[in-house]
């Protein structure tokens, strides 16, 4: 585990370098599964940004995720077939949602934040299920038209092309966030997390820092929602249910709440456990239908064996 943490500064470029050739190595099913992992991983990165870096534990990032997904699906239904346009619109919608709800979140702490964000996520899912004129209700929205990444490029008609597009978007967005967090802005945010009282006494607008971070996390979640529509060609209220929120938070805990790269790895481990390990026969017995049990066992093991996750770092409170 110490080797993994020593490689953390190089971990993200190394991870992307490993993932690129997978487009030509894996079969169609595995490629689509890995694409779904990347989408969930980007959502997990937004959770890690809030939970581990900003100190705002959240169960509500599925709210801007849904907002972004429905924004992208609506654009598809209005014949907007450029992937980057869908992506930017979805990210903007997620950011606006986060900006509107920020006053409810950034002044709370601890379990209160969890409850508020959980309520926001559940309310958003409920609205998506009942606002039939906009979202088509619980039937969901179809978005069959495959987008072209940029004007003039071919559409994403194959699993390989979709995977490479999603990988590119995730690499760019997470890479930008890593650069920001290694800048003085990231240092200020971590200082606000570890010593909020001192920061306020020094005249720093902690609530402002947290609001900017919350909006940025909302934009990441909205972008992940756009990628969900690109991959699945469909979105429904269930895409933002509590099970997804819990799954993503589990991925962040396993990967290390203070590490964005760890969130990606955690998402991969969680999805692999749910969709592959828990669907096969082991030691003469079938694990089909027991994915929650297996994930619960994985969580307990991580809590005891890896209390800071795969790539998590100590904070000033430990």
């Amino acid at each position: 585990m110490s080797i993994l943490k020593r490689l953390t500064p190089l971990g993200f470029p190394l991870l992307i370098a490993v993932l690129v050739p997978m487009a030509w190595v894996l079969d169609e099913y595995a490629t689509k599964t890995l694409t779904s992992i990347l989408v969930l991983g980007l959502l997990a990165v937004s959770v890690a940004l809030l939970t581990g870096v900003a100190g705002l534990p959240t169960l509500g990032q599925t709210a801007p995720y849904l907002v972004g997904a429905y924004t992208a699906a609506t654009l598809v239904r209005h014949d907007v077939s450029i992937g980057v346009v869908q992506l930017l619109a979805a990210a903007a919608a997620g950011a606006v949602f986060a900006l509107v709800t920020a006053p409810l979140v950034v002044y709370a702490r601890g379990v209160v934040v969890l409850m508020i964000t959980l309520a926001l996520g559940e309310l958003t899912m409920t609205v998506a299920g009942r606002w039939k004129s906009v979202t088509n209700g619980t039937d969901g929205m179809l978005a069959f038209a495959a987008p072209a990444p940029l004007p003039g490029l071919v559409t994403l008609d194959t699993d390989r092309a979709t995977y490479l597009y999603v990988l590119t978007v995730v690499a760019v967005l997470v890479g930008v966030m890593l650069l920001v967090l290694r800048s003085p802005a990231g240092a200020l945010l971590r200082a606000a997390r570890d010593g909020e009282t001192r920061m306020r006494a020094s005249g720093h607008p902690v609530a402002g820092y947290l609001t900017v971070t919350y909006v940025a996390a909302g934009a990441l979640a909205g972008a992940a929602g756009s990628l969900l529509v690109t991959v699945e060609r469909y979105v429904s209220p269930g895409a933002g249910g509590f099970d997804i929120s819990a799954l993503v938070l589990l991925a962040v805990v396993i990967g290390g709440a203070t590490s964005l790269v760890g969130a990606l790895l955690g998402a991969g481990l969680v999805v692999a456990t749910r969709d592959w390990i828990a669907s096969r026969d082991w030691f003469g017995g079938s694990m089909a239908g027991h994915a929650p049990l297996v994930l619960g066992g994985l969580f307990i093991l991580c809590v005891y064996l890896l209390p800071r996750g795969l790539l998590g770092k100590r904070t000033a409170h430990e």
Side-chain angles (χ1 to χ4, degrees), residues 22-23 45-46 54 68 115 120 122 136 139 149 175 182 248 259 279 318:
M22 292 298 105
V45 167
S46 77
M115 294 298 100
L120 288 172
E122 292 298 301
N136 203 33
D139 292 333
R182 289 171 185 169
V248 171
S259 171
S279 64
E318 293 186 275

Side-chain angles (χ1 to χ4, degrees), residues 19-24 31 35 38 156 158-170:
L19 289 176
V20 169
M22 292 298 105
W24 291 271
T31 300
T35 307
L38 288 172
L156 304 175
T158 66
D159 291 332
R160 178 186 297 172
T162 302
Y163 168 74
L164 291 173
Y165 169 71
V166 171
L167 178 60
T168 300
V169 171
V170 171

Side-chain angles (χ1 to χ4, degrees), residues 271-305:
V271 173
T273 301
R274 182 193 65 183
D275 295 348
W276 186 71
I277 296 176
S279 64
R280 280 160 171 74
D281 296 340
W282 298 96
F283 308 108
S286 175
M287 293 299 295
H290 297 290
L293 177 64
V294 177
L295 287 173
L298 177 63
F299 176 71
I300 293 172
L301 284 176
C302 286
V303 167
Y304 281 98
L305 301 179

